Short mmCIF file of all heavy atoms in Angstrom, two decimals:
data_model
loop_
_atom_site.label_atom_id
_atom_site.label_comp_id
_atom_site.label_asym_id
_atom_site.label_seq_id
_atom_site.Cartn_x
_atom_site.Cartn_y
_atom_site.Cartn_z
N LEU A 986 -32.84 -18.64 -48.24
CA LEU A 986 -32.40 -19.85 -48.83
C LEU A 986 -32.30 -20.95 -47.81
O LEU A 986 -32.73 -22.10 -48.01
CB LEU A 986 -31.02 -19.64 -49.52
CG LEU A 986 -30.46 -20.75 -50.36
CD1 LEU A 986 -31.43 -21.21 -51.44
CD2 LEU A 986 -29.15 -20.30 -50.99
N TYR A 989 -35.72 -22.08 -46.96
CA TYR A 989 -36.34 -22.85 -48.05
C TYR A 989 -35.89 -24.30 -48.06
O TYR A 989 -36.68 -25.22 -48.16
CB TYR A 989 -36.07 -22.21 -49.40
CG TYR A 989 -36.87 -22.80 -50.51
CD1 TYR A 989 -38.11 -22.24 -50.85
CD2 TYR A 989 -36.42 -23.88 -51.25
CE1 TYR A 989 -38.86 -22.76 -51.89
CE2 TYR A 989 -37.17 -24.42 -52.27
CZ TYR A 989 -38.41 -23.86 -52.60
OH TYR A 989 -39.17 -24.39 -53.58
N VAL A 990 -34.59 -24.56 -47.94
CA VAL A 990 -34.08 -25.92 -48.05
C VAL A 990 -34.25 -26.70 -46.76
O VAL A 990 -34.34 -27.96 -46.79
CB VAL A 990 -32.61 -26.01 -48.54
CG1 VAL A 990 -32.48 -25.38 -49.89
CG2 VAL A 990 -31.63 -25.36 -47.54
N PRO A 1018 -38.58 -16.34 -56.18
CA PRO A 1018 -38.15 -16.62 -57.53
C PRO A 1018 -36.62 -16.77 -57.63
O PRO A 1018 -36.14 -17.64 -58.38
CB PRO A 1018 -38.63 -15.41 -58.38
CG PRO A 1018 -39.76 -14.87 -57.62
CD PRO A 1018 -39.42 -15.09 -56.14
N ARG A 1019 -35.87 -15.98 -56.91
CA ARG A 1019 -34.39 -16.07 -56.90
C ARG A 1019 -33.92 -17.38 -56.28
O ARG A 1019 -33.03 -18.01 -56.78
CB ARG A 1019 -33.79 -14.89 -56.14
CG ARG A 1019 -33.81 -13.58 -56.85
CD ARG A 1019 -33.18 -12.50 -56.03
NE ARG A 1019 -31.78 -12.77 -55.65
CZ ARG A 1019 -31.17 -12.19 -54.62
NH1 ARG A 1019 -31.82 -11.29 -53.88
NH2 ARG A 1019 -29.90 -12.49 -54.36
N ILE A 1020 -34.60 -17.77 -55.21
CA ILE A 1020 -34.23 -19.04 -54.51
C ILE A 1020 -34.49 -20.20 -55.47
O ILE A 1020 -33.64 -21.07 -55.67
CB ILE A 1020 -35.01 -19.19 -53.22
CG1 ILE A 1020 -34.54 -18.19 -52.19
CG2 ILE A 1020 -34.91 -20.62 -52.67
CD1 ILE A 1020 -35.39 -18.06 -50.94
N LYS A 1021 -35.69 -20.22 -56.07
CA LYS A 1021 -36.02 -21.33 -56.97
C LYS A 1021 -35.11 -21.35 -58.20
O LYS A 1021 -34.76 -22.41 -58.67
CB LYS A 1021 -37.47 -21.20 -57.34
CG LYS A 1021 -38.40 -21.48 -56.19
CD LYS A 1021 -39.88 -21.30 -56.54
CE LYS A 1021 -40.74 -21.54 -55.33
NZ LYS A 1021 -42.19 -21.39 -55.65
N ALA A 1022 -34.76 -20.17 -58.70
CA ALA A 1022 -33.85 -20.11 -59.86
C ALA A 1022 -32.46 -20.67 -59.49
O ALA A 1022 -31.89 -21.40 -60.28
CB ALA A 1022 -33.74 -18.68 -60.36
N LEU A 1023 -31.95 -20.32 -58.32
CA LEU A 1023 -30.66 -20.83 -57.92
C LEU A 1023 -30.71 -22.35 -57.80
O LEU A 1023 -29.82 -23.05 -58.35
CB LEU A 1023 -30.26 -20.27 -56.54
CG LEU A 1023 -28.92 -20.66 -55.96
CD1 LEU A 1023 -28.37 -19.58 -55.05
CD2 LEU A 1023 -29.02 -21.96 -55.17
N LEU A 1024 -31.74 -22.91 -57.14
CA LEU A 1024 -31.79 -24.34 -56.98
C LEU A 1024 -32.00 -25.06 -58.33
O LEU A 1024 -31.41 -26.14 -58.55
CB LEU A 1024 -32.90 -24.69 -56.01
CG LEU A 1024 -32.73 -24.18 -54.58
CD1 LEU A 1024 -33.91 -24.47 -53.72
CD2 LEU A 1024 -31.45 -24.66 -53.96
N ASN A 1025 -32.80 -24.48 -59.21
CA ASN A 1025 -33.01 -25.06 -60.54
C ASN A 1025 -31.70 -25.03 -61.34
O ASN A 1025 -31.33 -26.02 -62.00
CB ASN A 1025 -34.08 -24.30 -61.31
CG ASN A 1025 -34.36 -24.94 -62.64
OD1 ASN A 1025 -34.67 -26.12 -62.68
ND2 ASN A 1025 -34.28 -24.16 -63.71
N ALA A 1026 -30.93 -23.94 -61.22
CA ALA A 1026 -29.65 -23.87 -61.92
C ALA A 1026 -28.68 -24.94 -61.40
O ALA A 1026 -27.89 -25.48 -62.18
CB ALA A 1026 -29.08 -22.49 -61.76
N MET A 1027 -28.77 -25.22 -60.11
CA MET A 1027 -27.85 -26.28 -59.56
C MET A 1027 -28.21 -27.64 -60.20
O MET A 1027 -27.32 -28.41 -60.53
CB MET A 1027 -28.02 -26.35 -58.08
CG MET A 1027 -27.40 -25.22 -57.33
SD MET A 1027 -27.58 -25.41 -55.56
CE MET A 1027 -26.45 -26.77 -55.27
N HIS A 1028 -29.52 -27.92 -60.37
CA HIS A 1028 -29.94 -29.20 -60.90
C HIS A 1028 -29.60 -29.33 -62.37
O HIS A 1028 -29.46 -30.46 -62.87
CB HIS A 1028 -31.43 -29.40 -60.68
CG HIS A 1028 -31.83 -29.62 -59.28
ND1 HIS A 1028 -31.42 -30.74 -58.56
CD2 HIS A 1028 -32.61 -28.90 -58.43
CE1 HIS A 1028 -31.93 -30.66 -57.34
NE2 HIS A 1028 -32.63 -29.58 -57.23
N THR A 1029 -29.48 -28.23 -63.06
CA THR A 1029 -29.24 -28.26 -64.51
C THR A 1029 -27.85 -27.83 -64.89
O THR A 1029 -27.57 -27.62 -66.08
CB THR A 1029 -30.30 -27.36 -65.25
OG1 THR A 1029 -30.20 -26.04 -64.78
CG2 THR A 1029 -31.70 -27.91 -65.02
N ALA A 1030 -26.96 -27.66 -63.87
CA ALA A 1030 -25.62 -27.21 -64.20
C ALA A 1030 -24.90 -28.16 -65.13
O ALA A 1030 -25.16 -29.37 -65.13
CB ALA A 1030 -24.84 -27.11 -62.87
N TRP A 1050 -19.31 -24.46 -57.22
CA TRP A 1050 -20.33 -23.85 -58.10
C TRP A 1050 -20.99 -22.65 -57.34
O TRP A 1050 -21.18 -21.61 -57.97
CB TRP A 1050 -21.39 -24.89 -58.45
CG TRP A 1050 -22.36 -24.40 -59.46
CD1 TRP A 1050 -22.24 -24.46 -60.80
CD2 TRP A 1050 -23.61 -23.77 -59.19
NE1 TRP A 1050 -23.33 -23.89 -61.42
CE2 TRP A 1050 -24.22 -23.44 -60.45
CE3 TRP A 1050 -24.30 -23.41 -58.04
CZ2 TRP A 1050 -25.46 -22.84 -60.55
CZ3 TRP A 1050 -25.56 -22.81 -58.15
CH2 TRP A 1050 -26.09 -22.52 -59.39
N LEU A 1051 -21.35 -22.83 -56.10
CA LEU A 1051 -21.95 -21.73 -55.37
C LEU A 1051 -21.00 -20.53 -55.25
O LEU A 1051 -21.42 -19.41 -55.38
CB LEU A 1051 -22.40 -22.21 -53.98
CG LEU A 1051 -23.63 -23.09 -53.94
CD1 LEU A 1051 -23.81 -23.66 -52.55
CD2 LEU A 1051 -24.87 -22.35 -54.38
N HIS A 1055 -22.68 -17.65 -56.92
CA HIS A 1055 -23.43 -16.94 -55.89
C HIS A 1055 -22.48 -16.60 -54.74
O HIS A 1055 -22.66 -17.07 -53.62
CB HIS A 1055 -24.62 -17.75 -55.40
CG HIS A 1055 -25.61 -18.00 -56.48
ND1 HIS A 1055 -26.57 -17.08 -56.82
CD2 HIS A 1055 -25.76 -19.02 -57.33
CE1 HIS A 1055 -27.29 -17.54 -57.84
NE2 HIS A 1055 -26.82 -18.74 -58.18
N VAL A 1066 -27.33 -25.47 -48.35
CA VAL A 1066 -27.62 -25.87 -49.76
C VAL A 1066 -26.80 -27.10 -50.11
O VAL A 1066 -27.31 -28.03 -50.74
CB VAL A 1066 -27.36 -24.71 -50.73
CG1 VAL A 1066 -27.44 -25.17 -52.17
CG2 VAL A 1066 -28.32 -23.58 -50.46
N TRP A 1069 -28.44 -30.10 -48.44
CA TRP A 1069 -29.74 -30.37 -49.11
C TRP A 1069 -29.48 -31.06 -50.44
O TRP A 1069 -30.13 -32.06 -50.78
CB TRP A 1069 -30.49 -29.06 -49.29
CG TRP A 1069 -31.71 -29.15 -50.16
CD1 TRP A 1069 -32.94 -29.58 -49.80
CD2 TRP A 1069 -31.79 -28.82 -51.55
NE1 TRP A 1069 -33.77 -29.51 -50.87
CE2 TRP A 1069 -33.09 -29.06 -51.96
CE3 TRP A 1069 -30.86 -28.35 -52.47
CZ2 TRP A 1069 -33.51 -28.84 -53.25
CZ3 TRP A 1069 -31.27 -28.11 -53.76
CH2 TRP A 1069 -32.58 -28.37 -54.16
N PHE A 1070 -28.55 -30.51 -51.23
CA PHE A 1070 -28.28 -31.03 -52.57
C PHE A 1070 -27.72 -32.45 -52.48
O PHE A 1070 -28.20 -33.33 -53.20
CB PHE A 1070 -27.35 -30.12 -53.31
CG PHE A 1070 -27.23 -30.45 -54.80
CD1 PHE A 1070 -28.13 -29.98 -55.67
CD2 PHE A 1070 -26.20 -31.25 -55.24
CE1 PHE A 1070 -28.02 -30.24 -57.03
CE2 PHE A 1070 -26.07 -31.53 -56.62
CZ PHE A 1070 -27.01 -31.03 -57.52
#
Side-chain angles (χ1 to χ4, degrees):
L986 188 56
Y989 191 91
V990 299
R1019 286 180 56 202
I1020 291 169
K1021 291 176 182 182
L1023 181 152
L1024 299 176
N1025 185 54
M1027 288 181 70
H1028 289 297
T1029 59
W1050 187 88
L1051 287 170
H1055 297 278
V1066 172
W1069 170 82
F1070 191 84

